[in-house]
């Protein structure tokens, strides 16, 4: 983006940049449709492996990452650990786990690794958008 006008929405909040980490094409499409909205939310990239997710994160520095635990290679937990280990606390993206494996033991492991939210894919998909909107508004309030 070349200017501040390109990244600021009419409501004063900037565009929230999102990386989706998901291995199933139909869920990738669903999340893109749910998240993408010009001037508000942008899915910068989709990764379907742990190594691809980490590389995309480092290259793009998104504001939020939506992460499935089961990936084509590696795991979402490995992504969370790498993202929390690899950067300054000041540059801390929102990490939202969205999984079909919503078991308490996995939630505890994800939260201990640094996930901000842990959602059940079968019932909480729309909550992703709500959490992203809250993060976007908090970012606007913090910038004011």
């Amino acid at each position: 983006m070349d200017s501040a006008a390109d990244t600021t929405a009419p409501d004063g909040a900037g565009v929230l940049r999102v990386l989706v980490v998901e291995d199933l094409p139909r869920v990738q499409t669903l999340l893109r449709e749910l998240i993408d909205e010009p001037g508000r939310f942008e899915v910068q990239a989709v990764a379907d492996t742990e190594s691809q997710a980490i590389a995309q994160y480092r290259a793009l520095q998104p504001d939020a990452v939506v992460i499935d635990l089961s990936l084509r290679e590696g795991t979402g937990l490995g992504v969370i650990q790498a993202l929390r280990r690899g950067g300054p606390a000041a540059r801390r993206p929102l990490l939202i786990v969205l999984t079909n494996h919503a078991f308490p033991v996995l939630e505890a492991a994800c939260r201990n690794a640094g996930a901000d939210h842990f959602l059940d894919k079968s019932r909480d998909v729309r909550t992703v958008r709500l959490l992203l909107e809250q993060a976007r508004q908090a970012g606007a309030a913090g910038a004011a």
Side-chain angles (χ1 to χ4, degrees):
M1 308 260 167
D2 293 341
S3 70
D6 293 334
T7 60
T8 303
D11 61 5
V15 174
L16 190 87
R17 300 163 303 133
V18 182
L19 170 63
V20 171
V21 182
E22 169 63 57
D23 62 324
L24 298 176
R26 64 183 163 73
V27 180
Q28 293 172 355
T29 300
L30 172 74
L31 289 171
R32 271 194 186 276
E33 290 171 355
L34 177 71
I35 296 168
D36 266 335
E37 183 181 336
R40 295 170 59 86
F41 304 100
E42 176 191 357
V43 174
Q44 290 184 297
V46 176
D48 64 358
T49 69
E50 181 177 330
S51 59
Q52 186 181 48
I54 294 164
Q56 290 281 16
Y57 174 79
R58 288 181 180 148
L60 300 171
Q61 295 293 299
D63 304 303
V65 185
V66 179
I67 307 165
D68 185 17
L69 292 180
S70 297
L71 302 174
R72 199 167 48 80
E73 168 268 312
T75 67
L77 183 59
V79 172
I80 296 165
Q81 292 167 335
L83 298 189
R84 288 300 189 229
R85 188 175 54 236
R91 181 67 189 115
R92 185 178 163 95
L94 176 69
L95 300 184
I96 302 170
V97 173
L98 183 65
T99 182
N100 280 323
H101 307 286
F103 303 112
V105 66
L106 289 176
E107 179 174 7
C110 289
R111 289 191 181 273
N112 287 338
D116 298 298
H117 301 280
F118 186 91
L119 304 175
D120 184 331
K121 199 182 286 184
S122 67
R123 68 170 192 258
D124 298 326
V125 171
R126 299 234 176 264
T127 303
V128 169
R129 178 61 182 255
L130 175 66
L131 294 170
L132 294 173
E133 182 62 48
Q134 290 171 351
R136 185 174 164 274
Q137 292 302 323

